[in-house]
Amino acid sequence: MQAIVYPPLVYAGQGRLWGVVPEVVGEIQKLVGDTSELKETPWLRGYEQTRTKTNQALFAIVRIPEREKLFKWVGPVFGEGDYFFSRKGADAMISTLDDARRVHRIAVRKDGYTHQALLAKGFTNLDVGPSYESSYMKLAEGRVDLVLMGERTYVYMVRSAGLNPDLFERTDCKFGDSTAWLAFSLDVPDEVIMKWQDALDSLKASGLYKSILDRNFAQ
């Protein structure tokens, strides 16, 4: 099982993973009797391996129509609204998607959720980079005009990149709502998917899921 670093959903350091997703997955594993190890993986490698190889799992990625038939899904494990963010002081008047389409550059991570979702909406002004961190740096340095970020996770993501969240400000343009899911390769039996989904649902019903979420977002 592979995990993508995306604070506070997934942190990595000193040979271990922690955050919302590792904790939730650990609780699910207890319920379903799974002992697989959860390992950190680079985004593109994990995405391609889960899409093309057998018996794979990738945690957690945003579920969008463009990915729907590529994986089997368990979730959601998190959801939030996504807004365009500008550099503070840039006086970016961005209220609509058309406003965002007219800026010079919007930084995105290659084949990430924002890249695929913006392409699907007809955006052609995308500056494609290797990571979210590179996107934030470009925005901080004024090399791009906007970055699409989650309204709750952006603070943690930006801090993880070594930047001050106060460098950025949210525009009035909400792109939409997104949810992060556990993605499995298509060969994973439906019975396994159902067991994992039932286990996640039970965590939510018991209140344990909420306590994990609240604890990680309180830091």
Side-chain angles (χ1 to χ4, degrees), residues 120-212:
K121 288 290 187 180
F123 280 76
T124 59
N125 55 342
L126 304 181
D127 184 296
V128 182
S131 66
Y132 285 127
E133 290 81 3
S134 68
S135 295
Y136 310 148
M137 186 62 69
K138 290 174 186 176
L139 186 59
E141 295 174 350
R143 291 187 283 148
V144 298
D145 304 285
L146 299 172
V147 173
L148 183 61
M149 295 191 273
E151 61 182 333
R152 295 184 66 188
T153 54
Y154 90 94
V155 170
Y156 301 87
M157 290 291 288
V158 168
R159 284 176 181 165
S160 180
L163 298 171
N164 186 341
D166 290 339
L167 293 171
F168 312 108
E169 59 186 358
R170 198 187 80 181
T171 72
D172 293 329
C173 184
K174 182 179 182 180
F175 180 76
D177 295 297
S178 63
T179 51
W181 292 63
L182 313 180
F184 295 79
S185 54
L186 293 176
D187 67 300
V188 174
D190 290 342
E191 298 79 35
V192 173
I193 301 300
M194 290 177 61
K195 286 181 180 179
W196 276 67
Q197 186 65 61
D198 289 345
L200 175 58
D201 292 343
S202 71
L203 293 181
K204 291 181 177 180
S206 71
L208 181 55
Y209 165 81
K210 185 178 185 300
S211 69
I212 291 173

Side-chain angles (χ1 to χ4, degrees), residues 8-134:
L9 302 187
V10 181
Y11 294 95
Q14 298 181 337
R16 70 184 187 96
L17 297 174
W18 70 98
V20 173
V21 171
E23 288 187 47
V24 169
V25 168
E27 295 297 333
I28 291 175
Q29 287 182 293
K30 293 176 186 176
L31 294 174
V32 303
D34 184 279
T35 58
S36 303
E37 183 180 2
L38 185 61
K39 299 179 179 180
E40 178 189 1
T41 188
W43 160 246
L44 284 175
R45 181 191 304 169
Y47 183 78
E48 286 303 310
Q49 286 184 349
T50 308
R51 190 176 65 85
T52 60
K53 295 187 176 182
T54 59
N55 199 31
Q56 301 290 310
L58 181 64
F59 309 148
I61 69 172
V62 176
R63 186 174 182 175
I64 54 176
E66 292 73 25
R67 297 173 176 170
E68 186 65 30
K69 295 182 180 180
L70 300 178
F71 309 104
K72 291 184 179 179
W73 302 91
V74 171
V77 292
F78 180 71
E80 65 181 336
D82 298 312
Y83 286 81
F84 287 102
F85 282 73
S86 65
R87 186 164 54 101
K88 183 168 286 187
D91 296 324
M93 303 297 291
I94 309 296
S95 300
T96 68
L97 292 184
D98 283 338
D99 291 336
R101 288 189 180 96
R102 284 191 286 266
V103 304
H104 189 47
R105 292 188 182 92
I106 301 173
V108 295
R109 180 179 69 173
K110 180 176 173 57
D111 287 336
Y113 152 63
T114 56
H115 187 191
Q116 295 180 344
L118 289 170
L119 282 177
K121 288 290 187 180
F123 280 76
T124 59
N125 55 342
L126 304 181
D127 184 296
V128 182
S131 66
Y132 285 127
E133 290 81 3
S134 68

